[in-house]
Amino acid sequence: RQAINDAGKENVLQIVEDGEQVNCATGKIIMSEFPHITFSPCMAHCINNLLKDFVKLPQFSNVIEKGNKIVMFVKNHSKVNATLATYANKKLLKYSDTRFAYQFIMLERLNELLTPLQQLFVSPCFKKLKESSTKASKACHEILFDEKFWDNVTHILAIVKSIILMFKPVDGPFPCIGKVYNGMQTLIAHLKNIEEDEYIRAELVQFASTRWMEYHSSLHAAASLIQNFKEAIKKVRCLLCKDGMKY
């Protein structure tokens, strides 16, 4: 309230905060006191929480846990990490407990470095290292040559691809509220089509729909209509220009 009064209530149209219950409750109070101001939960926070929901599923958490075992083994042993650098021009990315998108980015990089990692674990240089004879090393070796595991990694990355891509506009420096509504609808449609298992598909769609309802505001719908109208006008202008007409 103080910040609004300092800025001048006539200069404030929207407030964006994380979608925690206390913030949403505060938003409702603000909107009741200042009817012209709209409260919108942060969509970057929405996407992060959606990925947090996904990670709760065993199909996701088990794969991430195994992937993290490989990353931590390599990153925690300097000689192993240095040997990997002779096979790959990219580095493994560390796991994050709170930045859930980063867990999938970690998996994506791991998938990119699959061949170099396999080359590392069968190389004479690695076998000379004392770390190669440890239980952790043998566990990593088993994961690296487990085709089913890598099939699961590829499938998971395909599922979350559209969600990760949503981060770029919603967490960027440019206005994007007009793209959020269509983006979320496209995301939910993607989840319905990408997952063959009926039970898992239902859970993923339920997670996405629930988070969208929690974070959705009327401003998203209004901005989407304006965005769609602007895009329609651009298409009409392009068609008229092709026909040799000026608009």
Side-chain angles (χ1 to χ4, degrees):
R1 186 181 293 108
Q2 183 63 47
I4 293 173
N5 290 328
D6 289 344
K9 62 181 182 180
E10 68 281 0
N11 297 319
V12 181
L13 297 177
Q14 181 187 23
I15 295 175
V16 179
E17 280 281 1
D18 286 351
E20 302 296 344
Q21 289 185 355
V22 62
N23 291 335
C24 291
T26 302
K28 291 179 181 179
I29 294 173
I30 293 296
M31 288 192 293
S32 65
E33 188 170 339
F34 304 96
H36 72 288
I37 296 178
T38 299
F39 169 78
S40 300
C42 173
M43 285 307 300
H45 192 247
C46 171
I47 299 298
N48 191 63
N49 279 341
L50 176 55
L51 293 174
K52 178 181 178 181
D53 294 335
F54 283 12
V55 171
K56 293 176 183 176
L57 295 175
Q59 295 84 355
F60 284 73
S61 60
N62 291 341
V63 171
I64 291 173
E65 182 181 352
K66 287 183 178 180
N68 189 46
K69 280 184 179 180
I70 299 173
V71 173
M72 296 308 295
F73 174 78
V74 175
K75 299 288 282 186
N76 288 342
H77 297 91
S78 58
K79 290 183 180 179
V80 177
N81 201 19
T83 307
L84 175 62
T86 64
Y87 294 95
N89 56 7
K90 292 183 179 180
K91 295 181 179 180
L92 291 172
L93 301 175
K94 284 188 176 181
Y95 171 93
S96 172
D97 284 324
T98 56
R99 298 172 65 185
F100 295 96
Y102 212 72
Q103 296 181 13
F104 296 100
I105 294 172
M106 177 268 293
L107 271 186
E108 184 178 38
R109 176 59 59 82
L110 191 66
N111 195 43
E112 288 179 23
L113 298 182
L114 172 57
T115 299
L117 282 165
Q118 289 178 334
Q119 291 173 338
L120 166 68
F121 272 74
V122 298
S123 69
C125 292
F126 176 73
K127 291 179 179 180
K128 290 178 181 179
L129 300 176
K130 63 179 181 179
E131 290 86 354
S132 66
S133 59
T134 63
K135 289 184 179 180
S137 173
K138 293 176 181 178
C140 290
H141 186 282
E142 183 177 346
I143 296 169
L144 280 168
F145 291 90
D146 182 356
E147 291 186 7
K148 186 176 180 180
F149 169 76
W150 292 104
D151 287 342
N152 290 335
V153 169
T154 302
H155 183 56
I156 285 175
L157 292 176
I159 290 175
V160 302
K161 181 179 179 180
S162 62
I163 304 174
I164 300 297
L165 289 175
M166 277 285 289
F167 258 120
K168 187 173 182 179
V170 301
D171 201 30
F174 303 107
C176 68
I177 191 169
K179 300 177 181 179
V180 168
Y181 192 94
N182 289 341
M184 288 301 297
Q185 296 303 317
T186 301
L187 188 155
I188 292 172
H190 168 75
L191 294 176
K192 290 179 179 178
N193 294 326
I194 194 70
E195 178 54 57
E196 295 181 358
D197 186 290
E198 185 176 348
Y199 175 75
I200 298 175
R201 180 172 64 247
E203 284 197 294
L204 295 176
V205 171
Q206 183 61 44
F207 283 144
S209 300
T210 300
R211 287 298 182 184
W212 176 223
M213 291 304 297
E214 288 176 355
Y215 284 76
H216 171 269
S217 75
S218 56
L219 200 60
H220 289 121
S224 177
L225 288 173
I226 295 172
Q227 180 75 22
N228 292 340
F229 178 74
K230 287 181 177 179
E231 291 177 358
I233 290 295
K234 286 181 181 179
K235 289 180 181 179
V236 170
R237 286 178 174 171
C238 288
L239 290 173
L240 290 174
C241 288
K242 287 180 180 179
D243 291 336
M245 301 174 63
K246 292 183 179 181
Y247 182 72

